[in-house]
Amino acid sequence: MTQVLREQWLNNAVTSVRGIFHANGYPIPDHVRVSCGFPSKRARSLYRNVGEHFSPDASEDATHQIFISPVLDDSVEVLGVLMHELSHAVTGSAHGYEFKQCVRKVWLEGNPTQTKVGAQFRSNFAPILESLGIYPHAKLNVASTSKPQGTRMLKAVCGTCVETAPDGTVKSQ
């Protein structure tokens, strides 16, 4: 059996959910590119953004670009984030009324800006998740690689140097 890569899993997921979006009146555009990667600079800060959609206007080849954060490794959660981002692609809206209607039709719960996977989502997507298999990715723990920043701009001087002040006076160090 060949190993499925993250992007293959994500693209297989898009293919698997096309019918659900279409049946609810929201066909997925033909040109969608999905990848695992940091959605934005804020994603590394407190794990705020776990997915991001860029409209075709931002892409040189007029393709919807979707990024799923590498801080996620749970198949159900990844699919939930993917469904949220695909909802942006199919509605062309941020988090307005049409977007809210779409995410509800694909069984996402909660605030439209931070949708959650609930029991109904898990139940309805169980067959698709079983066919996709486990998301082939190990969670990236961003907090473990960041170091607290020390003091910047430390002034180093030696005892034999002299400093000239702006008014022209000489001060000994």
Side-chain angles (χ1 to χ4, degrees):
M1 183 171 143
T2 58
Q3 182 180 1
V4 175
L5 302 176
R6 294 180 299 209
E7 282 71 19
Q8 290 172 315
W9 190 98
L10 291 165
N11 284 307
N12 292 344
V14 171
T15 301
S16 297
V17 301
R18 278 187 184 277
I20 294 167
F21 276 97
H22 186 73
N24 285 296
Y26 297 102
I28 295 174
D30 291 334
H31 302 289
V32 175
R33 199 170 282 133
V34 187
S35 185
C36 175
F38 284 110
S40 68
K41 192 174 184 180
R42 291 188 327 154
R44 294 180 190 205
S45 169
L46 303 175
Y47 299 90
R48 291 185 186 172
N49 290 358
V50 290
E52 194 162 15
H53 165 260
F54 289 91
S55 75
D57 298 338
S59 175
E60 291 279 331
D61 62 356
T63 301
H64 291 269
Q65 304 274 346
I66 295 174
F67 294 94
I68 307 297
S69 177
V71 303
L72 298 177
D73 66 351
D74 179 77
S75 301
V76 178
E77 294 299 323
V78 169
L79 184 60
V81 171
L82 179 61
M83 297 297 283
H84 178 105
E85 301 308 329
L86 285 170
S87 295
H88 284 298
V90 301
T91 63
S93 74
H95 296 106
Y97 178 79
E98 189 176 7
F99 175 82
K100 184 177 180 178
Q101 296 302 310
C102 181
V103 295
R104 296 297 176 250
K105 288 183 178 182
V106 295
W107 306 289
L108 289 171
E109 301 173 359
N111 185 324
T113 59
Q114 296 177 331
T115 56
K116 305 268 188 257
V117 169
Q120 191 173 14
F121 182 96
R122 290 175 189 278
S123 173
N124 291 335
F125 284 102
I128 289 174
L129 285 160
E130 187 176 325
S131 71
L132 290 171
I134 296 171
Y135 182 54
H137 172 72
K139 179 179 180 177
L140 184 62
N141 186 354
V142 179
S144 71
T145 60
S146 63
K147 297 178 186 175
Q149 183 174 334
T151 305
R152 288 186 178 190
M153 307 275 299
L154 296 176
K155 183 176 179 180
V157 293
C158 72
T160 60
C161 294
V162 293
E163 179 181 355
T164 306
D167 64 358
T169 60
V170 177
K171 296 189 295 183
S172 179
Q173 295 290 335

